[in-house]
Amino acid sequence: MSLSRTARPAAPAPVVDQARTGLIQITVTGVLWGTTGVAVQLLRDSTGLSPVSIGFHRLAIAALVLLACTAGRLRTILAALRAAPVPLLLTGIGLGLYQALYFAAVAWAGVSVATVVSLGVAPVLAAAWESARARQIPGPVRLGTLVAAVSGLVLITTATADPSASAPAPLLGLLAAAGSGLGYAVTTVISRHASQHTTPMTLTTISTAVGALTLAPFALVSGIGVPVRPDTVALLLHLGVITTAVAYALFYAGLRTTPGSVAAVLTLLEPFTAAVLAVALLHEPLPLPVVVGGVLLLSAVAATYLAPDRADTR
């Protein structure tokens, strides 16, 4: 049989360009999310706020900033809610809940277990869902990037974990981490569907507002008082504006052309970025497993960029 009949036709250039734009947007999202860890650590040290309370402030600030920026488009936001209330509300509730479960997993089982399970489960579950829906197994490129990315995540997280950290309730922590990963995967799938019909700014505004309301009861129990100082205000603004409002707007924009499982792989750059920042800013050592894990993660990202038109194919 001739090559002209067996070769798969190349994707149109505009489609490939849109796919690569989506990959770039989600890659930037992963890097921005990677700055969250250092900011949260500095904020906890200076204020004593619980992680859940910090998560509430992060989402609430993002929602307020976005509402202020879209004040003239309030009718558009309300129209979007009326048109598709279920996926938009579920995206916001999921955003709040998987963060709360992740914070609980960190407290009960430690950062290593929480990060590996919650972030590692998400791309696997998303890929499984997409394969079941398409009734075909992932192709070699998808499987290879998935294995490389999750392996890199495990190496980075286990190498940077604090061996002296306590795990008062490891089983509960493991369950919370699995719930967080499941919530992240489900929310990513739902938000990808919602992003096809809702602008990224509108989707981010609604999801952060609903997410803040979801976390509010937990935050009120933990305490939400914050000392008004330049350093705390700057950190909160960074978390709310940069790592949430800007990052999630990019994330939802990228989901328009990027499958959920690929997005989950790209956002694994979050722990890699956090490890690099810890070395650069906090002068932590750079273990060999972190280097190897970083190479695996970057290789997975590179493979995704080299074949964006094959993201949904076998």
Side-chain angles (χ1 to χ4, degrees), residues 148 151-160 271-272 275-276 279 284-299:
S151 300
L153 168 69
V154 172
L155 286 171
I156 291 171
T157 306
T158 54
T160 55
F272 174 68
V276 171
V279 172
E284 293 185 3
L286 182 62
L288 180 60
V290 173
V291 177
V292 176
V295 170
L296 286 172
L297 267 177
L298 294 177
S299 298

Short mmCIF file of all heavy atoms in Angstrom, two decimals, residues 148 151-160 271-272 275-276 279 284-299:
data_model
loop_
_atom_site.label_atom_id
_atom_site.label_comp_id
_atom_site.label_asym_id
_atom_site.label_seq_id
_atom_site.Cartn_x
_atom_site.Cartn_y
_atom_site.Cartn_z
N ALA A 148 6.65 9.45 31.93
CA ALA A 148 7.81 10.30 32.23
C ALA A 148 7.45 11.40 33.21
O ALA A 148 8.20 11.68 34.16
CB ALA A 148 8.36 10.90 30.94
N SER A 151 6.72 9.93 36.75
CA SER A 151 8.00 9.49 37.33
C SER A 151 8.83 10.68 37.80
O SER A 151 9.42 10.66 38.88
CB SER A 151 8.80 8.68 36.30
OG SER A 151 8.08 7.53 35.89
N GLY A 152 8.86 11.74 36.97
CA GLY A 152 9.57 12.95 37.38
C GLY A 152 8.97 13.58 38.62
O GLY A 152 9.68 14.04 39.51
N LEU A 153 7.63 13.58 38.69
CA LEU A 153 6.95 14.11 39.88
C LEU A 153 7.36 13.34 41.13
O LEU A 153 7.65 13.95 42.17
CB LEU A 153 5.44 14.02 39.67
CG LEU A 153 4.56 14.27 40.91
CD1 LEU A 153 4.64 15.72 41.33
CD2 LEU A 153 3.13 13.86 40.65
N VAL A 154 7.36 12.02 41.05
CA VAL A 154 7.73 11.19 42.21
C VAL A 154 9.16 11.49 42.66
O VAL A 154 9.42 11.66 43.85
CB VAL A 154 7.55 9.70 41.87
CG1 VAL A 154 8.11 8.83 43.00
CG2 VAL A 154 6.09 9.37 41.64
N LEU A 155 10.09 11.56 41.71
CA LEU A 155 11.49 11.82 42.06
C LEU A 155 11.66 13.19 42.72
O LEU A 155 12.34 13.32 43.74
CB LEU A 155 12.36 11.74 40.80
CG LEU A 155 12.62 10.33 40.25
CD1 LEU A 155 13.30 10.42 38.89
CD2 LEU A 155 13.48 9.53 41.22
N ILE A 156 11.03 14.21 42.14
CA ILE A 156 11.18 15.56 42.68
C ILE A 156 10.56 15.67 44.06
O ILE A 156 11.17 16.20 45.00
CB ILE A 156 10.53 16.59 41.73
CG1 ILE A 156 11.34 16.70 40.44
CG2 ILE A 156 10.44 17.97 42.40
CD1 ILE A 156 10.66 17.53 39.38
N THR A 157 9.36 15.14 44.22
CA THR A 157 8.65 15.29 45.48
C THR A 157 9.30 14.52 46.61
O THR A 157 9.46 15.03 47.72
CB THR A 157 7.19 14.84 45.32
OG1 THR A 157 6.61 15.55 44.23
CG2 THR A 157 6.39 15.11 46.58
N THR A 158 9.68 13.27 46.35
CA THR A 158 10.29 12.47 47.40
C THR A 158 11.67 13.01 47.79
O THR A 158 12.08 12.91 48.95
CB THR A 158 10.41 11.01 46.98
OG1 THR A 158 11.10 10.92 45.71
CG2 THR A 158 9.03 10.38 46.83
N ALA A 159 12.38 13.59 46.83
CA ALA A 159 13.72 14.12 47.13
C ALA A 159 13.66 15.42 47.91
O ALA A 159 14.59 15.74 48.66
CB ALA A 159 14.49 14.34 45.82
N THR A 160 12.58 16.19 47.74
CA THR A 160 12.50 17.48 48.43
C THR A 160 11.64 17.41 49.69
O THR A 160 11.46 18.42 50.36
CB THR A 160 11.89 18.55 47.49
OG1 THR A 160 10.62 18.09 47.00
CG2 THR A 160 12.80 18.80 46.31
N PRO A 271 5.47 21.46 40.82
CA PRO A 271 6.46 21.07 41.82
C PRO A 271 7.90 21.26 41.35
O PRO A 271 8.80 21.54 42.15
CB PRO A 271 6.16 19.59 42.08
CG PRO A 271 5.42 19.13 40.88
CD PRO A 271 4.63 20.32 40.42
N PHE A 272 8.13 21.15 40.02
CA PHE A 272 9.48 21.39 39.50
C PHE A 272 9.87 22.85 39.70
O PHE A 272 10.98 23.15 40.14
CB PHE A 272 9.52 21.02 38.02
CG PHE A 272 10.82 21.36 37.34
CD1 PHE A 272 11.99 20.70 37.66
CD2 PHE A 272 10.87 22.36 36.38
CE1 PHE A 272 13.19 21.02 37.04
CE2 PHE A 272 12.06 22.69 35.75
CZ PHE A 272 13.22 22.02 36.09
N ALA A 275 10.62 23.49 43.32
CA ALA A 275 11.94 23.00 43.71
C ALA A 275 13.05 23.93 43.24
O ALA A 275 14.02 24.20 43.98
CB ALA A 275 12.16 21.59 43.13
N VAL A 276 12.92 24.45 42.02
CA VAL A 276 13.92 25.39 41.50
C VAL A 276 13.95 26.67 42.34
O VAL A 276 15.02 27.19 42.68
CB VAL A 276 13.63 25.72 40.02
CG1 VAL A 276 14.52 26.86 39.53
CG2 VAL A 276 13.84 24.48 39.15
N VAL A 279 15.69 26.17 45.65
CA VAL A 279 17.15 26.19 45.50
C VAL A 279 17.66 27.62 45.31
O VAL A 279 18.63 28.05 45.93
CB VAL A 279 17.59 25.30 44.32
CG1 VAL A 279 19.09 25.47 44.04
CG2 VAL A 279 17.27 23.84 44.60
N GLU A 284 18.22 25.93 49.28
CA GLU A 284 18.14 24.52 49.61
C GLU A 284 19.04 23.73 48.67
O GLU A 284 19.33 24.16 47.55
CB GLU A 284 16.69 24.03 49.51
CG GLU A 284 15.77 24.64 50.56
CD GLU A 284 14.38 24.04 50.53
OE1 GLU A 284 14.15 23.11 49.73
OE2 GLU A 284 13.52 24.50 51.32
N PRO A 285 19.51 22.54 49.10
CA PRO A 285 20.38 21.73 48.22
C PRO A 285 19.62 21.21 47.01
O PRO A 285 18.38 21.15 47.00
CB PRO A 285 20.81 20.57 49.14
CG PRO A 285 19.74 20.50 50.19
CD PRO A 285 19.28 21.91 50.41
N LEU A 286 20.35 20.82 45.99
CA LEU A 286 19.76 20.31 44.75
C LEU A 286 20.16 18.84 44.60
O LEU A 286 21.19 18.51 44.02
CB LEU A 286 20.25 21.11 43.54
CG LEU A 286 19.67 20.72 42.18
CD1 LEU A 286 18.16 20.91 42.17
CD2 LEU A 286 20.32 21.54 41.06
N PRO A 287 19.34 17.92 45.12
CA PRO A 287 19.68 16.49 45.05
C PRO A 287 19.62 15.98 43.61
O PRO A 287 18.90 16.52 42.77
CB PRO A 287 18.60 15.82 45.91
CG PRO A 287 17.95 16.92 46.69
CD PRO A 287 18.10 18.15 45.85
N LEU A 288 20.36 14.91 43.36
CA LEU A 288 20.37 14.30 42.03
C LEU A 288 18.98 13.85 41.57
O LEU A 288 18.63 14.05 40.39
CB LEU A 288 21.35 13.13 42.00
CG LEU A 288 21.48 12.39 40.65
CD1 LEU A 288 21.96 13.34 39.57
CD2 LEU A 288 22.40 11.18 40.79
N PRO A 289 18.16 13.25 42.45
CA PRO A 289 16.82 12.86 41.99
C PRO A 289 15.99 14.03 41.47
O PRO A 289 15.16 13.85 40.57
CB PRO A 289 16.17 12.25 43.25
CG PRO A 289 17.33 11.76 44.06
CD PRO A 289 18.42 12.76 43.82
N VAL A 290 16.19 15.22 42.02
CA VAL A 290 15.46 16.39 41.54
C VAL A 290 15.90 16.72 40.11
O VAL A 290 15.07 17.06 39.26
CB VAL A 290 15.68 17.60 42.46
CG1 VAL A 290 15.05 18.85 41.87
CG2 VAL A 290 15.07 17.33 43.84
N VAL A 291 17.20 16.61 39.86
CA VAL A 291 17.71 16.87 38.51
C VAL A 291 17.14 15.86 37.52
O VAL A 291 16.65 16.22 36.44
CB VAL A 291 19.25 16.81 38.52
CG1 VAL A 291 19.78 17.01 37.10
CG2 VAL A 291 19.82 17.87 39.44
N VAL A 292 17.18 14.57 37.91
CA VAL A 292 16.65 13.52 37.02
C VAL A 292 15.16 13.70 36.82
O VAL A 292 14.63 13.61 35.69
CB VAL A 292 16.96 12.13 37.60
CG1 VAL A 292 16.32 11.05 36.72
CG2 VAL A 292 18.45 11.91 37.72
N GLY A 293 14.44 13.99 37.91
CA GLY A 293 13.00 14.21 37.79
C GLY A 293 12.68 15.41 36.93
O GLY A 293 11.72 15.38 36.13
N GLY A 294 13.48 16.47 37.05
CA GLY A 294 13.28 17.64 36.22
C GLY A 294 13.49 17.35 34.74
O GLY A 294 12.74 17.82 33.88
N VAL A 295 14.50 16.54 34.45
CA VAL A 295 14.76 16.16 33.06
C VAL A 295 13.59 15.36 32.50
O VAL A 295 13.15 15.57 31.35
CB VAL A 295 16.07 15.35 32.97
CG1 VAL A 295 16.23 14.74 31.57
CG2 VAL A 295 17.27 16.24 33.29
N LEU A 296 13.05 14.44 33.31
CA LEU A 296 11.91 13.64 32.86
C LEU A 296 10.69 14.53 32.60
O LEU A 296 10.00 14.38 31.59
CB LEU A 296 11.57 12.58 33.90
CG LEU A 296 12.52 11.38 33.98
CD1 LEU A 296 12.18 10.50 35.18
CD2 LEU A 296 12.46 10.56 32.69
N LEU A 297 10.43 15.44 33.52
CA LEU A 297 9.29 16.34 33.34
C LEU A 297 9.44 17.21 32.10
O LEU A 297 8.51 17.36 31.30
CB LEU A 297 9.12 17.22 34.58
CG LEU A 297 8.18 16.73 35.68
CD1 LEU A 297 8.19 17.68 36.85
CD2 LEU A 297 6.77 16.61 35.13
N LEU A 298 10.63 17.80 31.95
CA LEU A 298 10.86 18.67 30.79
C LEU A 298 10.82 17.87 29.49
O LEU A 298 10.39 18.38 28.46
CB LEU A 298 12.19 19.39 30.95
CG LEU A 298 12.27 20.41 32.10
CD1 LEU A 298 13.66 21.01 32.19
CD2 LEU A 298 11.23 21.51 31.90
N SER A 299 11.26 16.61 29.54
CA SER A 299 11.19 15.76 28.35
C SER A 299 9.73 15.50 27.97
O SER A 299 9.37 15.50 26.79
CB SER A 299 11.91 14.43 28.60
OG SER A 299 13.29 14.66 28.86
#
